[in-house]
Amino acid sequence: MEQETKELRRVGLKVTHPRMRILQIFDEEEGNHLTAEDVYKKLLAHQEDIGLATVYRVLTQFEAAGIIIKHNFEGGQAVYELDRGRHHDHMIDVDSGKVIEFVSEEIERLQREIAARHGYVIEDHSLVLYVRPKNHARKA
Ligand SMILES: [Zn+2]
């Protein structure tokens, strides 16, 4: 509770019940990528009477305040995750929609080299791999 209160104040948001509860859900699920509906269902499971419209509004406020990051991966709803300030890339399981995080120093280095070869430095990047479990792979 205290952690969430501090975090809301730090980013200049008034401490309200929906904001507290939604931030708690992200804190409990650290490293998880949740849709607005996932958040809504988790609130329901905790007998919280917070509507989906409120969830969307709070998520938009959190995104604007830099608490969470929104991803628009292909073929699914937007997912949100806590901004832990650590760069990582994503893999999306196209069968289940599961989001897997990864970091590859080799890929990071290659990207810097490629940009440099073109006379650029990387400002930002996001890499998304759309994957299928190996044993479910489609035969060519
Ligand atoms: Zn992530």
Side-chain angles (χ1 to χ4, degrees):
M1 285 289 261
E2 204 184 322
Q3 188 193 340
E4 284 85 10
T5 307
K6 270 192 204 153
E7 178 70 357
L8 289 172
R9 294 214 172 109
R10 186 182 67 80
V11 299
L13 288 173
K14 217 174 85 187
V15 178
T16 64
H17 182 71
R19 285 175 184 161
M20 286 287 292
R21 297 299 289 124
I22 292 170
L23 188 52
Q24 267 176 345
I25 282 171
F26 279 97
D27 284 337
E28 282 163 17
E29 307 273 334
E30 215 201 302
N32 269 11
H33 301 72
L34 305 170
T35 66
E37 213 138 306
D38 292 334
V39 173
Y40 174 68
K41 284 185 190 146
K42 282 173 194 296
L43 290 167
L44 274 185
H46 285 95
Q47 344 301 332
E48 287 287 350
D49 187 21
I50 298 171
L52 190 55
T54 304
V55 171
Y56 273 109
R57 197 167 53 241
V58 170
L59 290 175
T60 303
Q61 292 162 348
F62 282 1
E63 190 196 355
I67 301 178
I68 59 173
I69 308 173
K70 181 183 184 180
H71 300 286
N72 289 296
F73 297 131
E74 276 170 40
Q77 300 166 345
V79 296
Y80 301 82
E81 67 173 308
L82 272 186
D83 187 351
R84 287 154 290 156
R86 275 178 272 133
H87 171 74
H88 59 268
D89 292 311
H90 296 98
M91 260 184 261
I92 317 296
D93 180 327
V94 296
D95 287 346
S96 67
K98 186 178 166 200
V99 181
I100 302 127
E101 297 189 339
F102 71 94
V103 177
S104 162
E105 279 315 316
E106 211 175 339
I107 290 174
E108 299 297 320
R109 182 180 50 76
L110 266 174
Q111 291 180 131
R112 283 195 298 271
E113 283 176 20
I114 292 165
R117 232 176 280 152
H118 291 264
Y120 288 99
V121 290
I122 294 177
E123 191 68 30
D124 191 15
H125 87 267
S126 72
L127 175 65
V128 185
L129 306 179
Y130 294 91
V131 299
R132 194 183 297 277
K134 256 184 170 176
N135 43 351
H136 292 190
R138 275 195 195 133
K139 293 190 179 99

PDB file of all heavy atoms in Angstrom, residues 31-33 69 71 73 79-82 84 86-90 99-102, ligand 1:
ATOM      1  N   GLY A  31       6.524  -8.020 -14.084  1.00  0.00           N
ATOM      2  CA  GLY A  31       7.037  -8.760 -15.226  1.00  0.00           C
ATOM      3  C   GLY A  31       5.937  -9.281 -16.125  1.00  0.00           C
ATOM      4  O   GLY A  31       6.199  -9.819 -17.180  1.00  0.00           O
ATOM      5  N   ASN A  32       4.687  -9.122 -15.685  1.00  0.00           N
ATOM      6  CA  ASN A  32       3.574  -9.575 -16.507  1.00  0.00           C
ATOM      7  C   ASN A  32       3.069  -8.485 -17.430  1.00  0.00           C
ATOM      8  O   ASN A  32       3.221  -7.310 -17.163  1.00  0.00           O
ATOM      9  CB  ASN A  32       2.425 -10.060 -15.632  1.00  0.00           C
ATOM     10  CG  ASN A  32       2.528 -11.541 -15.356  1.00  0.00           C
ATOM     11  OD1 ASN A  32       3.541 -12.166 -15.631  1.00  0.00           O
ATOM     12  ND2 ASN A  32       1.475 -12.094 -14.808  1.00  0.00           N
ATOM     13  N   HIS A  33       2.448  -8.929 -18.479  1.00  0.00           N
ATOM     14  CA  HIS A  33       1.904  -8.038 -19.494  1.00  0.00           C
ATOM     15  C   HIS A  33       0.400  -8.263 -19.495  1.00  0.00           C
ATOM     16  O   HIS A  33      -0.055  -9.349 -19.824  1.00  0.00           O
ATOM     17  CB  HIS A  33       2.527  -8.360 -20.850  1.00  0.00           C
ATOM     18  CG  HIS A  33       4.021  -8.226 -20.841  1.00  0.00           C
ATOM     19  ND1 HIS A  33       4.827  -9.113 -20.196  1.00  0.00           N
ATOM     20  CD2 HIS A  33       4.828  -7.283 -21.372  1.00  0.00           C
ATOM     21  CE1 HIS A  33       6.085  -8.719 -20.333  1.00  0.00           C
ATOM     22  NE2 HIS A  33       6.119  -7.609 -21.041  1.00  0.00           N
ATOM     23  N   ILE A  69       3.988   0.957 -19.440  1.00  0.00           N
ATOM     24  CA  ILE A  69       4.222   1.053 -20.882  1.00  0.00           C
ATOM     25  C   ILE A  69       3.110   0.290 -21.575  1.00  0.00           C
ATOM     26  O   ILE A  69       2.715  -0.788 -21.120  1.00  0.00           O
ATOM     27  CB  ILE A  69       5.566   0.398 -21.283  1.00  0.00           C
ATOM     28  CG1 ILE A  69       6.717   0.938 -20.437  1.00  0.00           C
ATOM     29  CG2 ILE A  69       5.864   0.610 -22.763  1.00  0.00           C
ATOM     30  CD1 ILE A  69       8.024   0.193 -20.682  1.00  0.00           C
ATOM     31  N   HIS A  71       1.880  -1.622 -25.013  1.00  0.00           N
ATOM     32  CA  HIS A  71       2.360  -2.245 -26.252  1.00  0.00           C
ATOM     33  C   HIS A  71       1.176  -2.593 -27.128  1.00  0.00           C
ATOM     34  O   HIS A  71       0.196  -3.163 -26.650  1.00  0.00           O
ATOM     35  CB  HIS A  71       3.095  -3.556 -25.953  1.00  0.00           C
ATOM     36  CG  HIS A  71       4.287  -3.411 -25.073  1.00  0.00           C
ATOM     37  ND1 HIS A  71       5.471  -2.859 -25.519  1.00  0.00           N
ATOM     38  CD2 HIS A  71       4.494  -3.755 -23.788  1.00  0.00           C
ATOM     39  CE1 HIS A  71       6.352  -2.874 -24.526  1.00  0.00           C
ATOM     40  NE2 HIS A  71       5.783  -3.408 -23.469  1.00  0.00           N
ATOM     41  N   PHE A  73       0.860  -5.002 -29.685  1.00  0.00           N
ATOM     42  CA  PHE A  73       1.378  -6.113 -30.476  1.00  0.00           C
ATOM     43  C   PHE A  73       0.330  -6.488 -31.515  1.00  0.00           C
ATOM     44  O   PHE A  73      -0.863  -6.289 -31.301  1.00  0.00           O
ATOM     45  CB  PHE A  73       1.688  -7.309 -29.576  1.00  0.00           C
ATOM     46  CG  PHE A  73       2.763  -7.050 -28.558  1.00  0.00           C
ATOM     47  CD1 PHE A  73       2.568  -7.379 -27.228  1.00  0.00           C
ATOM     48  CD2 PHE A  73       3.972  -6.475 -28.939  1.00  0.00           C
ATOM     49  CE1 PHE A  73       3.555  -7.146 -26.285  1.00  0.00           C
ATOM     50  CE2 PHE A  73       4.969  -6.239 -27.994  1.00  0.00           C
ATOM     51  CZ  PHE A  73       4.765  -6.573 -26.667  1.00  0.00           C
ATOM     52  N   VAL A  79      -1.389  -4.479 -24.525  1.00  0.00           N
ATOM     53  CA  VAL A  79      -1.005  -4.977 -23.208  1.00  0.00           C
ATOM     54  C   VAL A  79      -0.156  -3.930 -22.496  1.00  0.00           C
ATOM     55  O   VAL A  79       0.526  -3.130 -23.128  1.00  0.00           O
ATOM     56  CB  VAL A  79      -0.246  -6.329 -23.253  1.00  0.00           C
ATOM     57  CG1 VAL A  79      -1.129  -7.441 -23.800  1.00  0.00           C
ATOM     58  CG2 VAL A  79       1.040  -6.231 -24.041  1.00  0.00           C
ATOM     59  N   TYR A  80      -0.243  -3.947 -21.187  1.00  0.00           N
ATOM     60  CA  TYR A  80       0.448  -2.970 -20.361  1.00  0.00           C
ATOM     61  C   TYR A  80       1.396  -3.692 -19.412  1.00  0.00           C
ATOM     62  O   TYR A  80       1.096  -4.786 -18.940  1.00  0.00           O
ATOM     63  CB  TYR A  80      -0.564  -2.180 -19.524  1.00  0.00           C
ATOM     64  CG  TYR A  80      -1.599  -1.448 -20.347  1.00  0.00           C
ATOM     65  CD1 TYR A  80      -2.728  -2.110 -20.828  1.00  0.00           C
ATOM     66  CD2 TYR A  80      -1.443  -0.096 -20.646  1.00  0.00           C
ATOM     67  CE1 TYR A  80      -3.685  -1.443 -21.588  1.00  0.00           C
ATOM     68  CE2 TYR A  80      -2.391   0.578 -21.398  1.00  0.00           C
ATOM     69  CZ  TYR A  80      -3.512  -0.097 -21.859  1.00  0.00           C
ATOM     70  OH  TYR A  80      -4.447   0.565 -22.608  1.00  0.00           O
ATOM     71  N   GLU A  81       2.527  -3.064 -19.132  1.00  0.00           N
ATOM     72  CA  GLU A  81       3.439  -3.609 -18.128  1.00  0.00           C
ATOM     73  C   GLU A  81       4.053  -2.449 -17.359  1.00  0.00           C
ATOM     74  O   GLU A  81       4.112  -1.316 -17.849  1.00  0.00           O
ATOM     75  CB  GLU A  81       4.540  -4.453 -18.782  1.00  0.00           C
ATOM     76  CG  GLU A  81       5.512  -3.641 -19.637  1.00  0.00           C
ATOM     77  CD  GLU A  81       6.683  -4.476 -20.132  1.00  0.00           C
ATOM     78  OE1 GLU A  81       7.328  -5.130 -19.294  1.00  0.00           O
ATOM     79  OE2 GLU A  81       6.949  -4.447 -21.353  1.00  0.00           O
ATOM     80  N   LEU A  82       4.497  -2.755 -16.150  1.00  0.00           N
ATOM     81  CA  LEU A  82       5.170  -1.742 -15.342  1.00  0.00           C
ATOM     82  C   LEU A  82       6.431  -1.292 -16.073  1.00  0.00           C
ATOM     83  O   LEU A  82       7.140  -2.115 -16.641  1.00  0.00           O
ATOM     84  CB  LEU A  82       5.613  -2.341 -14.004  1.00  0.00           C
ATOM     85  CG  LEU A  82       4.656  -2.344 -12.827  1.00  0.00           C
ATOM     86  CD1 LEU A  82       5.419  -2.853 -11.609  1.00  0.00           C
ATOM     87  CD2 LEU A  82       4.071  -0.969 -12.545  1.00  0.00           C
ATOM     88  N   ARG A  84       9.833  -0.745 -15.705  1.00  0.00           N
ATOM     89  CA  ARG A  84      10.886  -1.016 -14.716  1.00  0.00           C
ATOM     90  C   ARG A  84      12.206  -0.372 -15.127  1.00  0.00           C
ATOM     91  O   ARG A  84      13.240  -0.610 -14.511  1.00  0.00           O
ATOM     92  CB  ARG A  84      11.057  -2.538 -14.553  1.00  0.00           C
ATOM     93  CG  ARG A  84       9.919  -3.183 -13.784  1.00  0.00           C
ATOM     94  CD  ARG A  84       9.757  -4.635 -14.167  1.00  0.00           C
ATOM     95  NE  ARG A  84       9.252  -4.774 -15.515  1.00  0.00           N
ATOM     96  CZ  ARG A  84       9.428  -5.858 -16.269  1.00  0.00           C
ATOM     97  NH1 ARG A  84      10.106  -6.874 -15.816  1.00  0.00           N
ATOM     98  NH2 ARG A  84       8.939  -5.896 -17.486  1.00  0.00           N
ATOM     99  N   ARG A  86      14.111  -0.968 -17.507  1.00  0.00           N
ATOM    100  CA  ARG A  86      15.124  -1.864 -18.063  1.00  0.00           C
ATOM    101  C   ARG A  86      14.687  -2.265 -19.460  1.00  0.00           C
ATOM    102  O   ARG A  86      13.577  -2.770 -19.656  1.00  0.00           O
ATOM    103  CB  ARG A  86      15.254  -3.135 -17.197  1.00  0.00           C
ATOM    104  CG  ARG A  86      16.199  -2.956 -16.032  1.00  0.00           C
ATOM    105  CD  ARG A  86      16.250  -4.211 -15.177  1.00  0.00           C
ATOM    106  NE  ARG A  86      15.206  -4.197 -14.158  1.00  0.00           N
ATOM    107  CZ  ARG A  86      14.398  -5.194 -13.886  1.00  0.00           C
ATOM    108  NH1 ARG A  86      14.462  -6.308 -14.575  1.00  0.00           N
ATOM    109  NH2 ARG A  86      13.492  -5.104 -12.941  1.00  0.00           N
ATOM    110  N   HIS A  87      15.556  -2.052 -20.423  1.00  0.00           N
ATOM    111  CA  HIS A  87      15.200  -2.391 -21.795  1.00  0.00           C
ATOM    112  C   HIS A  87      15.084  -3.904 -21.984  1.00  0.00           C
ATOM    113  O   HIS A  87      15.894  -4.662 -21.475  1.00  0.00           O
ATOM    114  CB  HIS A  87      16.242  -1.848 -22.772  1.00  0.00           C
ATOM    115  CG  HIS A  87      16.006  -2.359 -24.159  1.00  0.00           C
ATOM    116  ND1 HIS A  87      14.976  -1.884 -24.932  1.00  0.00           N
ATOM    117  CD2 HIS A  87      16.592  -3.345 -24.867  1.00  0.00           C
ATOM    118  CE1 HIS A  87      14.965  -2.549 -26.083  1.00  0.00           C
ATOM    119  NE2 HIS A  87      15.939  -3.438 -26.062  1.00  0.00           N
ATOM    120  N   HIS A  88      14.060  -4.310 -22.700  1.00  0.00           N
ATOM    121  CA  HIS A  88      13.950  -5.712 -23.091  1.00  0.00           C
ATOM    122  C   HIS A  88      13.110  -5.801 -24.351  1.00  0.00           C
ATOM    123  O   HIS A  88      12.402  -4.868 -24.706  1.00  0.00           O
ATOM    124  CB  HIS A  88      13.352  -6.553 -21.958  1.00  0.00           C
ATOM    125  CG  HIS A  88      11.985  -6.102 -21.525  1.00  0.00           C
ATOM    126  ND1 HIS A  88      11.785  -5.202 -20.509  1.00  0.00           N
ATOM    127  CD2 HIS A  88      10.761  -6.415 -21.985  1.00  0.00           C
ATOM    128  CE1 HIS A  88      10.495  -4.992 -20.362  1.00  0.00           C
ATOM    129  NE2 HIS A  88       9.828  -5.719 -21.252  1.00  0.00           N
ATOM    130  N   ASP A  89      13.209  -6.912 -25.021  1.00  0.00           N
ATOM    131  CA  ASP A  89      12.409  -7.143 -26.216  1.00  0.00           C
ATOM    132  C   ASP A  89      11.377  -8.231 -25.911  1.00  0.00           C
ATOM    133  O   ASP A  89      11.411  -8.832 -24.838  1.00  0.00           O
ATOM    134  CB  ASP A  89      13.319  -7.541 -27.383  1.00  0.00           C
ATOM    135  CG  ASP A  89      14.208  -6.365 -27.808  1.00  0.00           C
ATOM    136  OD1 ASP A  89      13.663  -5.263 -27.989  1.00  0.00           O
ATOM    137  OD2 ASP A  89      15.427  -6.556 -27.918  1.00  0.00           O
ATOM    138  N   HIS A  90      10.477  -8.436 -26.849  1.00  0.00           N
ATOM    139  CA  HIS A  90       9.366  -9.360 -26.604  1.00  0.00           C
ATOM    140  C   HIS A  90       9.207 -10.412 -27.692  1.00  0.00           C
ATOM    141  O   HIS A  90       9.517 -10.164 -28.846  1.00  0.00           O
ATOM    142  CB  HIS A  90       8.047  -8.579 -26.507  1.00  0.00           C
ATOM    143  CG  HIS A  90       8.001  -7.639 -25.362  1.00  0.00           C
ATOM    144  ND1 HIS A  90       8.273  -6.296 -25.489  1.00  0.00           N
ATOM    145  CD2 HIS A  90       7.725  -7.849 -24.051  1.00  0.00           C
ATOM    146  CE1 HIS A  90       8.169  -5.724 -24.300  1.00  0.00           C
ATOM    147  NE2 HIS A  90       7.845  -6.632 -23.409  1.00  0.00           N
ATOM    148  N   VAL A  99       3.134 -13.501 -23.673  1.00  0.00           N
ATOM    149  CA  VAL A  99       4.227 -12.577 -23.948  1.00  0.00           C
ATOM    150  C   VAL A  99       5.470 -13.040 -23.198  1.00  0.00           C
ATOM    151  O   VAL A  99       5.410 -13.293 -21.992  1.00  0.00           O
ATOM    152  CB  VAL A  99       3.864 -11.139 -23.511  1.00  0.00           C
ATOM    153  CG1 VAL A  99       5.007 -10.171 -23.813  1.00  0.00           C
ATOM    154  CG2 VAL A  99       2.580 -10.674 -24.201  1.00  0.00           C
ATOM    155  N   ILE A 100       6.571 -13.184 -23.903  1.00  0.00           N
ATOM    156  CA  ILE A 100       7.828 -13.629 -23.282  1.00  0.00           C
ATOM    157  C   ILE A 100       8.840 -12.499 -23.459  1.00  0.00           C
ATOM    158  O   ILE A 100       8.967 -11.947 -24.556  1.00  0.00           O
ATOM    159  CB  ILE A 100       8.349 -14.914 -23.968  1.00  0.00           C
ATOM    160  CG1 ILE A 100       7.284 -16.024 -23.869  1.00  0.00           C
ATOM    161  CG2 ILE A 100       9.673 -15.366 -23.365  1.00  0.00           C
ATOM    162  CD1 ILE A 100       6.922 -16.657 -25.165  1.00  0.00           C
ATOM    163  N   GLU A 101       9.540 -12.169 -22.380  1.00  0.00           N
ATOM    164  CA  GLU A 101      10.554 -11.115 -22.470  1.00  0.00           C
ATOM    165  C   GLU A 101      11.919 -11.733 -22.698  1.00  0.00           C
ATOM    166  O   GLU A 101      12.203 -12.814 -22.197  1.00  0.00           O
ATOM    167  CB  GLU A 101      10.597 -10.325 -21.158  1.00  0.00           C
ATOM    168  CG  GLU A 101       9.322  -9.613 -20.856  1.00  0.00           C
ATOM    169  CD  GLU A 101       9.454  -8.667 -19.675  1.00  0.00           C
ATOM    170  OE1 GLU A 101      10.376  -8.840 -18.854  1.00  0.00           O
ATOM    171  OE2 GLU A 101       8.619  -7.751 -19.594  1.00  0.00           O
ATOM    172  N   PHE A 102      12.754 -11.013 -23.425  1.00  0.00           N
ATOM    173  CA  PHE A 102      14.130 -11.467 -23.551  1.00  0.00           C
ATOM    174  C   PHE A 102      15.058 -10.281 -23.771  1.00  0.00           C
ATOM    175  O   PHE A 102      14.624  -9.205 -24.193  1.00  0.00           O
ATOM    176  CB  PHE A 102      14.289 -12.494 -24.680  1.00  0.00           C
ATOM    177  CG  PHE A 102      14.150 -11.917 -26.071  1.00  0.00           C
ATOM    178  CD1 PHE A 102      15.270 -11.512 -26.789  1.00  0.00           C
ATOM    179  CD2 PHE A 102      12.904 -11.763 -26.646  1.00  0.00           C
ATOM    180  CE1 PHE A 102      15.153 -10.985 -28.070  1.00  0.00           C
ATOM    181  CE2 PHE A 102      12.766 -11.226 -27.927  1.00  0.00           C
ATOM    182  CZ  PHE A 102      13.888 -10.842 -28.638  1.00  0.00           C
TER     183      PHE A 102
HETATM  184 ZN    ZN B   1       7.909  -6.496 -21.348  1.00  0.00          ZN
END
